[in-house]
């Protein structure tokens, strides 16, 4: 099987893991602090906290806002469940808004109506959580302005955008806090894991406290509130440190894979590819192809064809407002997200994808679409 997005782990990762194990650094060790320092430098933030997943990082951020029932968070409807589930963990209500057709991130034009939708339900909006989808930064500037006018913080879900930039600043810049993922299918991975970043020292100190089960300093285990076991282990952090060293190379390879697909397939009827907005370095974490009405096959039929040939592909995220669990959630528009879900197909994008394998994928697609 040619995978959609496989991890790339080599000699450097093995060496750093071996060093950690030799030193007895399995759960705790200096690798975690080193990983946090390196990631803070990458993102240009003052503080970083390594945790067990991107979802955990986002959950901590919402907990730090004391989010509770009767309050709301505005989220893009086109996103992964991990970007929304923390809202539910806190007992709050997500307000889903449509996405921009170029960036595929939260559409700033939908934000005022989303605030109105919350008010109509008697809900107070406490945060806006845009997402940087598939390796591209959302249109964060206008989002920050609109949220600031209403006194609401922005927390960026940059889980899919490690290595992406907007006007030279790393994904997550400008937000009060930003969350990232190192899941096994991401450009860099720790086998799982995530990171929360911010420039606010007090917030990050409390996030660290909550991530280690809210344990008070004492010889015994002392707790006066409930926290979470969200810390990242030293072995995982060692892998992350090694992966960080080759991030730029990995991004360049993903971008080259996307450009090869785009060059080879864009001339086919109804075929286009995920656009890139101005001022952005799109990592192309996944290469996303769109099949419009003129295409001679549906995305799902093409997916099944590829699967029969031992090639993994996947639809674009199903919009949250179409998910059964959120059928009663308030939303604003959604036609753009629905169109992308109907037309989109993610193609194999691993940094380890060989040229012969990509050529084979392209030939199979051309045979079905030409």
């Amino acid at each position: 099987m040619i995978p959609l997005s496989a991890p790339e782990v080599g000699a450097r990762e093995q060496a750093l893991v071996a060093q950690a194990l030799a030193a007895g650094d399995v759960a705790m060790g200096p690798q975690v602090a080193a990983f946090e320092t390196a990631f803070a430098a990458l993102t240009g933030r003052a503080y970083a906290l390594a945790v067990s997943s991107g979802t955990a990082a986002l959950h901590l951020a919402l907990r730090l806002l004391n989010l509770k029932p009767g309050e709301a968070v505005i989220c893009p409807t086109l996103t992964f469940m991990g970007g929304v589930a923390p809202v539910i963990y806190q007992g709050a209500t997500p307000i889903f808004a449509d996405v921009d057709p170029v960036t595929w991130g939260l559409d700033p034009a939908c934000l005022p109506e989303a605030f109105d939708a919350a008010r109509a339900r008697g809900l107070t909006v406490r945060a806006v959580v845009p997402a940087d989808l598939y390796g591209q930064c959302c249109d964060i500037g206008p989002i920050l302005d609109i949220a600031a006018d209403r006194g609401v913080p922005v927390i960026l879900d940059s889980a899919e955008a490690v290595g992406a930039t907007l006007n030279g600043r790393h994904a997550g810049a400008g937000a009060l806090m930003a969350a990232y993922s190192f899941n096994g299918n991401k450009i860099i991975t720790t086998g799982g894991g995530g990171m929360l970043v911010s420039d606010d020292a007090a917030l990050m100190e409390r996030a660290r406290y909550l991530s280690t089960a809210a344990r008070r300093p004492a010889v015994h285990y002392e707790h006066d509130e409930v926290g979470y076991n969200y810390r990242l282990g030293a072995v995982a952090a060692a892998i992350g440190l090694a992966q960080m060293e080759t991030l730029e190379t990995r991004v360049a390879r993903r971008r080259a894979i996307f450009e090869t697909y785009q060059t080879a397939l864009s001339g086919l009827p109804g075929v286009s590819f995920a656009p890139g907005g101005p001022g952005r370095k799109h990592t192309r974490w996944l290469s996303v192809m769109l099949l419009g009405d003129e295409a001679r096959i549906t995305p799902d039929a093409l997916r099944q064809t590829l699967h029969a040939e031992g090639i993994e592909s996947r639809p674009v995220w199903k919009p949250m407002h179409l998910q059964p669990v959120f059928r009663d959630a308030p939303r604003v528009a959604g036609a753009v997200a629905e169109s992308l879900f109907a037309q989109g197909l993610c193609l194999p994008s691993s940094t380890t994808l060989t040229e012969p394998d990509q050529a084979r994928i392209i030939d199979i697609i051309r045979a079905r679409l030409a």
Side-chain angles (χ1 to χ4, degrees), residues 94-178:
I95 309 287
F96 297 119
D98 209 350
V99 295
D100 177 85
V102 175
T103 69
W104 294 14
L106 180 66
D107 188 348
C110 291
L111 267 181
E113 189 176 349
F115 277 94
D116 291 343
R119 189 180 306 108
R121 292 204 175 200
L123 301 169
T124 301
V125 176
R126 291 292 315 286
V128 177
V129 182
D132 295 328
L133 214 65
Y134 292 117
Q136 177 169 214
C137 296
C138 66
D139 198 4
I140 187 63
I143 293 172
L144 288 170
D145 291 342
I146 294 169
D149 285 345
R150 291 161 174 79
V152 173
V154 173
I155 299 170
L156 254 172
D157 174 7
S158 296
E160 302 174 12
V162 175
T165 62
L166 171 59
N167 298 324
R169 302 180 70 192
H170 192 276
L176 176 64
M177 293 174 276

Side-chain angles (χ1 to χ4, degrees), residues 297-335:
I297 191 173
T298 65
D300 192 62
L302 180 56
R303 182 191 62 79
Q304 293 182 47
T305 295
L306 292 170
H307 180 77
E309 295 286 344
I311 299 165
E312 184 182 13
S313 60
R314 185 178 298 166
V316 167
W317 298 124
K318 182 176 183 178
M320 289 294 108
H321 72 269
L322 298 181
Q323 298 285 357
V325 69
F326 293 128
R327 59 181 172 270
D328 296 325
R331 68 178 174 96
V332 174

Side-chain angles (χ1 to χ4, degrees), residues 164-224:
T165 62
L166 171 59
N167 298 324
R169 302 180 70 192
H170 192 276
L176 176 64
M177 293 174 276
Y180 306 83
S181 171
F182 308 121
N183 190 32
N185 62 3
K186 297 299 192 294
I187 291 181
I188 63 172
T189 182
T190 58
M195 195 77 75
L196 180 68
V197 302
S198 180
D199 295 322
D200 189 309
L203 282 176
M204 293 300 287
E205 181 180 0
R206 178 155 173 77
R208 187 173 299 278
Y209 163 71
L210 290 171
S211 74
T212 52
R215 180 187 176 187
R216 291 294 183 188
V219 175
H220 58 278
Y221 284 76
E222 181 82 12
H223 307 272
D224 54 18

